[in-house]
Amino acid sequence: MEYVALATGLLLVLTGLWGIASQRNIFRIIIGFSVFDTGLHVVLVSIAYLRGRTAPILDEAVSKGQAVNRIVDPVPQALVLTAIVIGVAITALMLTFALKLYEKRKTLEIESFEDLKW
Amino acid sequence: MVKKIFALIALAGIAFMLWGLFKSYRHQETLPRTSRYYAQKGPDELGSANLVTSVVVTYRGLDTLGEVTILFSVASIIGFFLKSRTQRELKAEGFRETSELLHTSTAFLVPIIFLFGAYVFVGGHLSPGGGFQGGAIIASGTLLLFLATPTASRGKTIISLVESVSGVAYVGIGIAGIFLAAGFLDNRILPTGRFGTIFSAGAIPVIYSLIGLKVGAELSAILYKLKDAKEDE
């Protein structure tokens, strides 16, 4: 099961990178980045998975004493929680930049921004 | 066309690297050392039933503070780049009247969405929830409000007020940890209480509620700025 999740995550990473590299429209590049980001989250969570274990939340089903043998790794999950929020913030920032670029040049084609090209 | 071929070659290289990562992945049977410490000592030390929450809010609390700071700086940068249209300009734009259906359902749903967001962040130490998720739910309620009334600009002051007050209170609780407990952002400034109840885990519910309010206000502010963005002449 964790191999399926890991493979899916890595495929999402590749899909996102392909989107970033091949698309010309800035909005599509941003969507590619979002897919890439999601793929990384899936990879991290799937690495944290331990076979036959449950979520790291203690209740009637998992008592304090059993926790070590019954739960999956909580640290990568906490990391992913952070990464999702940062991903949202970065996406908002990129969309703002795309808006500003459109205002300046009236186009979203990445080809027409050559100022830093040499 | 040539560019696509180059991109494809680069992608094949990355895919080769990722394939190595996939092949070298070995299934683990036990928790790594740090996680084992969190799982063994966490519940008794901090009193939080959700171990992810105890990692996010207390063990790695400084990271979370940094994350909230990043979110704040992103909101400020967006505010710096996008100039807001004034109320009159918004009115002059002549938005199409929103439908009766959207109006009524917004009035019905938005309070429930806000309440659900608050529930998610208040119960963050007991159930799969927390400040970031709750804040995102609250921001989705704000988005619904914007869709129903695109010209309105109510609540701008209250959003920035909630944002700054909760940010200052978060840091204040962190500093109180230095004096009253073991260190910065320690949650044991309040009694840890009975395990698994709403008033437990020391300051974790307070901190997570503040994070929830701050994230909700921050994301709402970003939405506001994107909604009111004005084109430069």
Side-chain angles (χ1 to χ4, degrees), chain A residues 29-66:
Chain A
I29 293 175
I30 295 172
I31 292 171
F33 171 83
S34 283
V35 174
F36 176 29
D37 200 34
T38 313
L40 286 182
H41 301 158
V42 176
V43 169
L44 276 175
V45 170
S46 71
I47 286 175
Y49 180 73
L50 299 173
R51 213 168 281 174
R53 297 198 183 197
T54 184
I57 295 168
L58 309 182
D59 52 7
E60 299 86 36
V62 186
S63 66
K64 278 187 200 174
Q66 298 173 317

PDB file of all heavy atoms in Angstrom, chain A residues 29-66:
ATOM      1  N   ILE A  29       1.806  27.277 -15.444  1.00  0.00           N
ATOM      2  CA  ILE A  29       3.043  26.952 -14.719  1.00  0.00           C
ATOM      3  C   ILE A  29       2.748  26.901 -13.215  1.00  0.00           C
ATOM      4  O   ILE A  29       3.234  26.019 -12.496  1.00  0.00           O
ATOM      5  CB  ILE A  29       4.129  27.996 -15.042  1.00  0.00           C
ATOM      6  CG1 ILE A  29       4.529  27.877 -16.506  1.00  0.00           C
ATOM      7  CG2 ILE A  29       5.331  27.814 -14.149  1.00  0.00           C
ATOM      8  CD1 ILE A  29       5.487  28.929 -16.960  1.00  0.00           C
ATOM      9  N   ILE A  30       1.914  27.858 -12.750  1.00  0.00           N
ATOM     10  CA  ILE A  30       1.576  27.882 -11.324  1.00  0.00           C
ATOM     11  C   ILE A  30       0.789  26.629 -10.941  1.00  0.00           C
ATOM     12  O   ILE A  30       1.017  26.031  -9.882  1.00  0.00           O
ATOM     13  CB  ILE A  30       0.789  29.165 -10.975  1.00  0.00           C
ATOM     14  CG1 ILE A  30       1.676  30.385 -11.194  1.00  0.00           C
ATOM     15  CG2 ILE A  30       0.301  29.127  -9.541  1.00  0.00           C
ATOM     16  CD1 ILE A  30       0.965  31.694 -11.081  1.00  0.00           C
ATOM     17  N   ILE A  31      -0.110  26.198 -11.833  1.00  0.00           N
ATOM     18  CA  ILE A  31      -0.851  24.960 -11.557  1.00  0.00           C
ATOM     19  C   ILE A  31       0.123  23.780 -11.503  1.00  0.00           C
ATOM     20  O   ILE A  31       0.019  22.912 -10.624  1.00  0.00           O
ATOM     21  CB  ILE A  31      -1.945  24.737 -12.628  1.00  0.00           C
ATOM     22  CG1 ILE A  31      -3.025  25.802 -12.495  1.00  0.00           C
ATOM     23  CG2 ILE A  31      -2.556  23.357 -12.491  1.00  0.00           C
ATOM     24  CD1 ILE A  31      -4.018  25.816 -13.617  1.00  0.00           C
ATOM     25  N   GLY A  32       1.103  23.780 -12.406  1.00  0.00           N
ATOM     26  CA  GLY A  32       2.127  22.745 -12.368  1.00  0.00           C
ATOM     27  C   GLY A  32       2.861  22.723 -11.040  1.00  0.00           C
ATOM     28  O   GLY A  32       3.092  21.663 -10.455  1.00  0.00           O
ATOM     29  N   PHE A  33       3.170  23.914 -10.543  1.00  0.00           N
ATOM     30  CA  PHE A  33       3.831  23.999  -9.240  1.00  0.00           C
ATOM     31  C   PHE A  33       2.958  23.405  -8.146  1.00  0.00           C
ATOM     32  O   PHE A  33       3.447  22.687  -7.266  1.00  0.00           O
ATOM     33  CB  PHE A  33       4.147  25.463  -8.913  1.00  0.00           C
ATOM     34  CG  PHE A  33       4.620  25.668  -7.502  1.00  0.00           C
ATOM     35  CD1 PHE A  33       5.949  25.461  -7.174  1.00  0.00           C
ATOM     36  CD2 PHE A  33       3.735  26.031  -6.515  1.00  0.00           C
ATOM     37  CE1 PHE A  33       6.376  25.618  -5.881  1.00  0.00           C
ATOM     38  CE2 PHE A  33       4.155  26.178  -5.212  1.00  0.00           C
ATOM     39  CZ  PHE A  33       5.485  25.977  -4.897  1.00  0.00           C
ATOM     40  N   SER A  34       1.652  23.673  -8.191  1.00  0.00           N
ATOM     41  CA  SER A  34       0.740  23.147  -7.166  1.00  0.00           C
ATOM     42  C   SER A  34       0.713  21.628  -7.187  1.00  0.00           C
ATOM     43  O   SER A  34       0.719  20.988  -6.126  1.00  0.00           O
ATOM     44  CB  SER A  34      -0.668  23.691  -7.374  1.00  0.00           C
ATOM     45  OG  SER A  34      -0.747  25.003  -6.929  1.00  0.00           O
ATOM     46  N   VAL A  35       0.708  21.057  -8.410  1.00  0.00           N
ATOM     47  CA  VAL A  35       0.700  19.596  -8.526  1.00  0.00           C
ATOM     48  C   VAL A  35       1.992  19.015  -7.960  1.00  0.00           C
ATOM     49  O   VAL A  35       1.990  18.028  -7.209  1.00  0.00           O
ATOM     50  CB  VAL A  35       0.503  19.193 -10.004  1.00  0.00           C
ATOM     51  CG1 VAL A  35       0.639  17.699 -10.164  1.00  0.00           C
ATOM     52  CG2 VAL A  35      -0.851  19.648 -10.494  1.00  0.00           C
ATOM     53  N   PHE A  36       3.113  19.643  -8.300  1.00  0.00           N
ATOM     54  CA  PHE A  36       4.429  19.254  -7.797  1.00  0.00           C
ATOM     55  C   PHE A  36       4.420  19.245  -6.264  1.00  0.00           C
ATOM     56  O   PHE A  36       4.833  18.270  -5.602  1.00  0.00           O
ATOM     57  CB  PHE A  36       5.426  20.266  -8.363  1.00  0.00           C
ATOM     58  CG  PHE A  36       6.845  20.122  -7.903  1.00  0.00           C
ATOM     59  CD1 PHE A  36       7.366  18.889  -7.547  1.00  0.00           C
ATOM     60  CD2 PHE A  36       7.673  21.225  -7.857  1.00  0.00           C
ATOM     61  CE1 PHE A  36       8.694  18.773  -7.143  1.00  0.00           C
ATOM     62  CE2 PHE A  36       8.984  21.114  -7.457  1.00  0.00           C
ATOM     63  CZ  PHE A  36       9.491  19.885  -7.097  1.00  0.00           C
ATOM     64  N   ASP A  37       3.913  20.329  -5.689  1.00  0.00           N
ATOM     65  CA  ASP A  37       3.829  20.508  -4.238  1.00  0.00           C
ATOM     66  C   ASP A  37       2.999  19.384  -3.597  1.00  0.00           C
ATOM     67  O   ASP A  37       3.430  18.754  -2.625  1.00  0.00           O
ATOM     68  CB  ASP A  37       3.161  21.865  -4.004  1.00  0.00           C
ATOM     69  CG  ASP A  37       3.429  22.410  -2.643  1.00  0.00           C
ATOM     70  OD1 ASP A  37       4.533  22.168  -2.140  1.00  0.00           O
ATOM     71  OD2 ASP A  37       2.534  23.059  -2.085  1.00  0.00           O
ATOM     72  N   THR A  38       1.833  19.106  -4.181  1.00  0.00           N
ATOM     73  CA  THR A  38       0.972  18.045  -3.661  1.00  0.00           C
ATOM     74  C   THR A  38       1.664  16.696  -3.708  1.00  0.00           C
ATOM     75  O   THR A  38       1.568  15.902  -2.770  1.00  0.00           O
ATOM     76  CB  THR A  38      -0.324  18.001  -4.472  1.00  0.00           C
ATOM     77  OG1 THR A  38      -0.823  19.318  -4.615  1.00  0.00           O
ATOM     78  CG2 THR A  38      -1.363  17.156  -3.789  1.00  0.00           C
ATOM     79  N   GLY A  39       2.393  16.452  -4.813  1.00  0.00           N
ATOM     80  CA  GLY A  39       3.126  15.194  -4.932  1.00  0.00           C
ATOM     81  C   GLY A  39       4.128  15.025  -3.807  1.00  0.00           C
ATOM     82  O   GLY A  39       4.244  13.945  -3.209  1.00  0.00           O
ATOM     83  N   LEU A  40       4.842  16.117  -3.473  1.00  0.00           N
ATOM     84  CA  LEU A  40       5.808  16.041  -2.367  1.00  0.00           C
ATOM     85  C   LEU A  40       5.107  15.700  -1.057  1.00  0.00           C
ATOM     86  O   LEU A  40       5.614  14.910  -0.262  1.00  0.00           O
ATOM     87  CB  LEU A  40       6.545  17.372  -2.229  1.00  0.00           C
ATOM     88  CG  LEU A  40       7.590  17.687  -3.276  1.00  0.00           C
ATOM     89  CD1 LEU A  40       8.247  19.016  -2.971  1.00  0.00           C
ATOM     90  CD2 LEU A  40       8.647  16.607  -3.299  1.00  0.00           C
ATOM     91  N   HIS A  41       3.912  16.277  -0.840  1.00  0.00           N
ATOM     92  CA  HIS A  41       3.181  15.970   0.402  1.00  0.00           C
ATOM     93  C   HIS A  41       2.830  14.485   0.468  1.00  0.00           C
ATOM     94  O   HIS A  41       3.009  13.848   1.513  1.00  0.00           O
ATOM     95  CB  HIS A  41       1.895  16.791   0.499  1.00  0.00           C
ATOM     96  CG  HIS A  41       2.124  18.261   0.480  1.00  0.00           C
ATOM     97  ND1 HIS A  41       1.153  19.167   0.119  1.00  0.00           N
ATOM     98  CD2 HIS A  41       3.221  18.985   0.758  1.00  0.00           C
ATOM     99  CE1 HIS A  41       1.657  20.372   0.181  1.00  0.00           C
ATOM    100  NE2 HIS A  41       2.891  20.294   0.564  1.00  0.00           N
ATOM    101  N   VAL A  42       2.367  13.933  -0.669  1.00  0.00           N
ATOM    102  CA  VAL A  42       2.003  12.514  -0.686  1.00  0.00           C
ATOM    103  C   VAL A  42       3.231  11.654  -0.393  1.00  0.00           C
ATOM    104  O   VAL A  42       3.166  10.686   0.372  1.00  0.00           O
ATOM    105  CB  VAL A  42       1.368  12.136  -2.043  1.00  0.00           C
ATOM    106  CG1 VAL A  42       1.090  10.655  -2.092  1.00  0.00           C
ATOM    107  CG2 VAL A  42       0.082  12.909  -2.256  1.00  0.00           C
ATOM    108  N   VAL A  43       4.390  12.033  -0.988  1.00  0.00           N
ATOM    109  CA  VAL A  43       5.623  11.268  -0.747  1.00  0.00           C
ATOM    110  C   VAL A  43       5.964  11.280   0.741  1.00  0.00           C
ATOM    111  O   VAL A  43       6.242  10.233   1.344  1.00  0.00           O
ATOM    112  CB  VAL A  43       6.786  11.856  -1.577  1.00  0.00           C
ATOM    113  CG1 VAL A  43       8.104  11.262  -1.131  1.00  0.00           C
ATOM    114  CG2 VAL A  43       6.577  11.590  -3.047  1.00  0.00           C
ATOM    115  N   LEU A  44       5.924  12.466   1.368  1.00  0.00           N
ATOM    116  CA  LEU A  44       6.299  12.571   2.791  1.00  0.00           C
ATOM    117  C   LEU A  44       5.383  11.725   3.660  1.00  0.00           C
ATOM    118  O   LEU A  44       5.842  10.984   4.533  1.00  0.00           O
ATOM    119  CB  LEU A  44       6.235  14.035   3.241  1.00  0.00           C
ATOM    120  CG  LEU A  44       7.460  14.882   2.950  1.00  0.00           C
ATOM    121  CD1 LEU A  44       7.199  16.318   3.335  1.00  0.00           C
ATOM    122  CD2 LEU A  44       8.639  14.355   3.748  1.00  0.00           C
ATOM    123  N   VAL A  45       4.067  11.822   3.425  1.00  0.00           N
ATOM    124  CA  VAL A  45       3.127  11.079   4.260  1.00  0.00           C
ATOM    125  C   VAL A  45       3.295   9.583   4.053  1.00  0.00           C
ATOM    126  O   VAL A  45       3.238   8.797   5.006  1.00  0.00           O
ATOM    127  CB  VAL A  45       1.678  11.531   3.975  1.00  0.00           C
ATOM    128  CG1 VAL A  45       0.695  10.594   4.645  1.00  0.00           C
ATOM    129  CG2 VAL A  45       1.457  12.921   4.486  1.00  0.00           C
ATOM    130  N   SER A  46       3.543   9.154   2.799  1.00  0.00           N
ATOM    131  CA  SER A  46       3.673   7.714   2.552  1.00  0.00           C
ATOM    132  C   SER A  46       4.941   7.168   3.195  1.00  0.00           C
ATOM    133  O   SER A  46       4.981   6.018   3.624  1.00  0.00           O
ATOM    134  CB  SER A  46       3.658   7.428   1.061  1.00  0.00           C
ATOM    135  OG  SER A  46       4.846   7.885   0.480  1.00  0.00           O
ATOM    136  N   ILE A  47       6.001   7.990   3.304  1.00  0.00           N
ATOM    137  CA  ILE A  47       7.216   7.528   3.973  1.00  0.00           C
ATOM    138  C   ILE A  47       6.950   7.368   5.468  1.00  0.00           C
ATOM    139  O   ILE A  47       7.498   6.474   6.116  1.00  0.00           O
ATOM    140  CB  ILE A  47       8.381   8.503   3.690  1.00  0.00           C
ATOM    141  CG1 ILE A  47       8.866   8.310   2.253  1.00  0.00           C
ATOM    142  CG2 ILE A  47       9.529   8.268   4.648  1.00  0.00           C
ATOM    143  CD1 ILE A  47       9.907   9.278   1.826  1.00  0.00           C
ATOM    144  N   ALA A  48       6.061   8.207   6.024  1.00  0.00           N
ATOM    145  CA  ALA A  48       5.769   8.115   7.453  1.00  0.00           C
ATOM    146  C   ALA A  48       4.920   6.897   7.796  1.00  0.00           C
ATOM    147  O   ALA A  48       4.819   6.538   8.960  1.00  0.00           O
ATOM    148  CB  ALA A  48       5.036   9.375   7.906  1.00  0.00           C
ATOM    149  N   TYR A  49       4.326   6.252   6.788  1.00  0.00           N
ATOM    150  CA  TYR A  49       3.385   5.161   7.068  1.00  0.00           C
ATOM    151  C   TYR A  49       4.121   3.912   7.553  1.00  0.00           C
ATOM    152  O   TYR A  49       5.174   3.552   7.024  1.00  0.00           O
ATOM    153  CB  TYR A  49       2.598   4.840   5.793  1.00  0.00           C
ATOM    154  CG  TYR A  49       1.600   3.741   5.956  1.00  0.00           C
ATOM    155  CD1 TYR A  49       0.425   3.973   6.673  1.00  0.00           C
ATOM    156  CD2 TYR A  49       1.823   2.488   5.427  1.00  0.00           C
ATOM    157  CE1 TYR A  49      -0.491   2.956   6.838  1.00  0.00           C
ATOM    158  CE2 TYR A  49       0.909   1.479   5.587  1.00  0.00           C
ATOM    159  CZ  TYR A  49      -0.247   1.723   6.294  1.00  0.00           C
ATOM    160  OH  TYR A  49      -1.156   0.726   6.471  1.00  0.00           O
ATOM    161  N   LEU A  50       3.562   3.281   8.580  1.00  0.00           N
ATOM    162  CA  LEU A  50       4.074   1.988   9.047  1.00  0.00           C
ATOM    163  C   LEU A  50       2.945   0.983   8.917  1.00  0.00           C
ATOM    164  O   LEU A  50       1.804   1.279   9.265  1.00  0.00           O
ATOM    165  CB  LEU A  50       4.524   2.079  10.499  1.00  0.00           C
ATOM    166  CG  LEU A  50       5.657   3.059  10.789  1.00  0.00           C
ATOM    167  CD1 LEU A  50       5.886   3.180  12.271  1.00  0.00           C
ATOM    168  CD2 LEU A  50       6.924   2.618  10.105  1.00  0.00           C
ATOM    169  N   ARG A  51       3.280  -0.212   8.428  1.00  0.00           N
ATOM    170  CA  ARG A  51       2.239  -1.166   8.054  1.00  0.00           C
ATOM    171  C   ARG A  51       1.353  -1.543   9.249  1.00  0.00           C
ATOM    172  O   ARG A  51       1.849  -1.816  10.349  1.00  0.00           O
ATOM    173  CB  ARG A  51       2.886  -2.419   7.474  1.00  0.00           C
ATOM    174  CG  ARG A  51       2.045  -3.074   6.405  1.00  0.00           C
ATOM    175  CD  ARG A  51       2.843  -4.110   5.675  1.00  0.00           C
ATOM    176  NE  ARG A  51       3.737  -3.490   4.674  1.00  0.00           N
ATOM    177  CZ  ARG A  51       4.618  -4.194   3.983  1.00  0.00           C
ATOM    178  NH1 ARG A  51       4.744  -5.476   4.177  1.00  0.00           N
ATOM    179  NH2 ARG A  51       5.386  -3.595   3.107  1.00  0.00           N
ATOM    180  N   GLY A  52       0.046  -1.550   9.037  1.00  0.00           N
ATOM    181  CA  GLY A  52      -0.883  -2.022  10.059  1.00  0.00           C
ATOM    182  C   GLY A  52      -1.063  -1.092  11.234  1.00  0.00           C
ATOM    183  O   GLY A  52      -1.623  -1.483  12.243  1.00  0.00           O
ATOM    184  N   ARG A  53      -0.588   0.146  11.116  1.00  0.00           N
ATOM    185  CA  ARG A  53      -0.723   1.057  12.251  1.00  0.00           C
ATOM    186  C   ARG A  53      -1.772   2.117  11.962  1.00  0.00           C
ATOM    187  O   ARG A  53      -2.251   2.261  10.852  1.00  0.00           O
ATOM    188  CB  ARG A  53       0.619   1.718  12.555  1.00  0.00           C
ATOM    189  CG  ARG A  53       1.665   0.708  12.977  1.00  0.00           C
ATOM    190  CD  ARG A  53       2.769   1.426  13.656  1.00  0.00           C
ATOM    191  NE  ARG A  53       3.840   0.520  14.022  1.00  0.00           N
ATOM    192  CZ  ARG A  53       4.766   0.848  14.915  1.00  0.00           C
ATOM    193  NH1 ARG A  53       4.714   2.031  15.498  1.00  0.00           N
ATOM    194  NH2 ARG A  53       5.722   0.019  15.216  1.00  0.00           N
ATOM    195  N   THR A  54      -2.108   2.892  13.017  1.00  0.00           N
ATOM    196  CA  THR A  54      -3.192   3.860  12.885  1.00  0.00           C
ATOM    197  C   THR A  54      -2.686   5.284  13.082  1.00  0.00           C
ATOM    198  O   THR A  54      -1.505   5.510  13.301  1.00  0.00           O
ATOM    199  CB  THR A  54      -4.299   3.518  13.908  1.00  0.00           C
ATOM    200  OG1 THR A  54      -5.381   4.406  13.711  1.00  0.00           O
ATOM    201  CG2 THR A  54      -3.810   3.649  15.325  1.00  0.00           C
ATOM    202  N   ALA A  55      -3.605   6.248  12.978  1.00  0.00           N
ATOM    203  CA  ALA A  55      -3.247   7.661  13.065  1.00  0.00           C
ATOM    204  C   ALA A  55      -2.702   7.995  14.451  1.00  0.00           C
ATOM    205  O   ALA A  55      -3.099   7.391  15.438  1.00  0.00           O
ATOM    206  CB  ALA A  55      -4.468   8.518  12.770  1.00  0.00           C
ATOM    207  N   PRO A  56      -1.772   8.960  14.548  1.00  0.00           N
ATOM    208  CA  PRO A  56      -1.166   9.264  15.844  1.00  0.00           C
ATOM    209  C   PRO A  56      -2.070  10.089  16.759  1.00  0.00           C
ATOM    210  O   PRO A  56      -1.703  11.166  17.218  1.00  0.00           O
ATOM    211  CB  PRO A  56       0.113  10.025  15.473  1.00  0.00           C
ATOM    212  CG  PRO A  56      -0.148  10.582  14.149  1.00  0.00           C
ATOM    213  CD  PRO A  56      -1.131   9.705  13.469  1.00  0.00           C
ATOM    214  N   ILE A  57      -3.262   9.585  17.015  1.00  0.00           N
ATOM    215  CA  ILE A  57      -4.195  10.271  17.911  1.00  0.00           C
ATOM    216  C   ILE A  57      -4.640   9.249  18.953  1.00  0.00           C
ATOM    217  O   ILE A  57      -5.118   8.174  18.596  1.00  0.00           O
ATOM    218  CB  ILE A  57      -5.397  10.818  17.135  1.00  0.00           C
ATOM    219  CG1 ILE A  57      -4.927  11.892  16.165  1.00  0.00           C
ATOM    220  CG2 ILE A  57      -6.437  11.382  18.088  1.00  0.00           C
ATOM    221  CD1 ILE A  57      -5.947  12.305  15.163  1.00  0.00           C
ATOM    222  N   LEU A  58      -4.461   9.572  20.215  1.00  0.00           N
ATOM    223  CA  LEU A  58      -4.757   8.608  21.275  1.00  0.00           C
ATOM    224  C   LEU A  58      -6.205   8.741  21.725  1.00  0.00           C
ATOM    225  O   LEU A  58      -6.681   9.836  21.995  1.00  0.00           O
ATOM    226  CB  LEU A  58      -3.832   8.830  22.468  1.00  0.00           C
ATOM    227  CG  LEU A  58      -2.348   8.890  22.146  1.00  0.00           C
ATOM    228  CD1 LEU A  58      -1.543   9.069  23.411  1.00  0.00           C
ATOM    229  CD2 LEU A  58      -1.908   7.639  21.425  1.00  0.00           C
ATOM    230  N   ASP A  59      -6.912   7.613  21.792  1.00  0.00           N
ATOM    231  CA  ASP A  59      -8.293   7.608  22.315  1.00  0.00           C
ATOM    232  C   ASP A  59      -8.569   6.235  22.902  1.00  0.00           C
ATOM    233  O   ASP A  59      -7.635   5.547  23.324  1.00  0.00           O
ATOM    234  CB  ASP A  59      -9.284   7.989  21.207  1.00  0.00           C
ATOM    235  CG  ASP A  59      -9.100   7.135  19.967  1.00  0.00           C
ATOM    236  OD1 ASP A  59      -8.310   6.191  20.033  1.00  0.00           O
ATOM    237  OD2 ASP A  59      -9.748   7.411  18.948  1.00  0.00           O
ATOM    238  N   GLU A  60      -9.826   5.796  22.898  1.00  0.00           N
ATOM    239  CA  GLU A  60     -10.134   4.488  23.481  1.00  0.00           C
ATOM    240  C   GLU A  60      -9.419   3.373  22.706  1.00  0.00           C
ATOM    241  O   GLU A  60      -9.026   2.360  23.278  1.00  0.00           O
ATOM    242  CB  GLU A  60     -11.650   4.209  23.448  1.00  0.00           C
ATOM    243  CG  GLU A  60     -12.497   5.190  24.232  1.00  0.00           C
ATOM    244  CD  GLU A  60     -12.844   6.411  23.395  1.00  0.00           C
ATOM    245  OE1 GLU A  60     -13.067   6.256  22.182  1.00  0.00           O
ATOM    246  OE2 GLU A  60     -12.892   7.519  23.961  1.00  0.00           O
ATOM    247  N   ALA A  61      -9.276   3.551  21.399  1.00  0.00           N
ATOM    248  CA  ALA A  61      -8.692   2.488  20.581  1.00  0.00           C
ATOM    249  C   ALA A  61      -7.196   2.328  20.824  1.00  0.00           C
ATOM    250  O   ALA A  61      -6.667   1.226  20.794  1.00  0.00           O
ATOM    251  CB  ALA A  61      -8.956   2.771  19.108  1.00  0.00           C
ATOM    252  N   VAL A  62      -6.493   3.427  21.052  1.00  0.00           N
ATOM    253  CA  VAL A  62      -5.039   3.388  21.259  1.00  0.00           C
ATOM    254  C   VAL A  62      -4.746   4.041  22.600  1.00  0.00           C
ATOM    255  O   VAL A  62      -4.923   5.250  22.754  1.00  0.00           O
ATOM    256  CB  VAL A  62      -4.299   4.161  20.142  1.00  0.00           C
ATOM    257  CG1 VAL A  62      -2.808   3.979  20.304  1.00  0.00           C
ATOM    258  CG2 VAL A  62      -4.741   3.702  18.784  1.00  0.00           C
ATOM    259  N   SER A  63      -4.306   3.260  23.585  1.00  0.00           N
ATOM    260  CA  SER A  63      -4.023   3.856  24.897  1.00  0.00           C
ATOM    261  C   SER A  63      -2.591   4.380  24.911  1.00  0.00           C
ATOM    262  O   SER A  63      -1.806   4.139  23.996  1.00  0.00           O
ATOM    263  CB  SER A  63      -4.228   2.828  25.997  1.00  0.00           C
ATOM    264  OG  SER A  63      -3.258   1.813  25.848  1.00  0.00           O
ATOM    265  N   LYS A  64      -2.269   5.135  25.973  1.00  0.00           N
ATOM    266  CA  LYS A  64      -0.943   5.760  26.080  1.00  0.00           C
ATOM    267  C   LYS A  64       0.173   4.728  25.993  1.00  0.00           C
ATOM    268  O   LYS A  64       1.174   4.940  25.319  1.00  0.00           O
ATOM    269  CB  LYS A  64      -0.836   6.480  27.428  1.00  0.00           C
ATOM    270  CG  LYS A  64      -1.457   7.853  27.459  1.00  0.00           C
ATOM    271  CD  LYS A  64      -1.108   8.496  28.791  1.00  0.00           C
ATOM    272  CE  LYS A  64      -2.055   9.636  29.110  1.00  0.00           C
ATOM    273  NZ  LYS A  64      -1.813  10.179  30.442  1.00  0.00           N
ATOM    274  N   GLY A  65      -0.015   3.600  26.688  1.00  0.00           N
ATOM    275  CA  GLY A  65       1.055   2.605  26.755  1.00  0.00           C
ATOM    276  C   GLY A  65       1.318   1.924  25.417  1.00  0.00           C
ATOM    277  O   GLY A  65       2.454   1.602  25.082  1.00  0.00           O
ATOM    278  N   GLN A  66       0.249   1.742  24.629  1.00  0.00           N
ATOM    279  CA  GLN A  66       0.396   1.040  23.343  1.00  0.00           C
ATOM    280  C   GLN A  66       0.928   1.938  22.245  1.00  0.00           C
ATOM    281  O   GLN A  66       1.313   1.443  21.189  1.00  0.00           O
ATOM    282  CB  GLN A  66      -0.960   0.524  22.872  1.00  0.00           C
ATOM    283  CG  GLN A  66      -1.625  -0.481  23.762  1.00  0.00           C
ATOM    284  CD  GLN A  66      -3.022  -0.754  23.243  1.00  0.00           C
ATOM    285  OE1 GLN A  66      -3.737   0.170  22.866  1.00  0.00           O
ATOM    286  NE2 GLN A  66      -3.401  -2.017  23.200  1.00  0.00           N
TER     287      GLN A  66
END
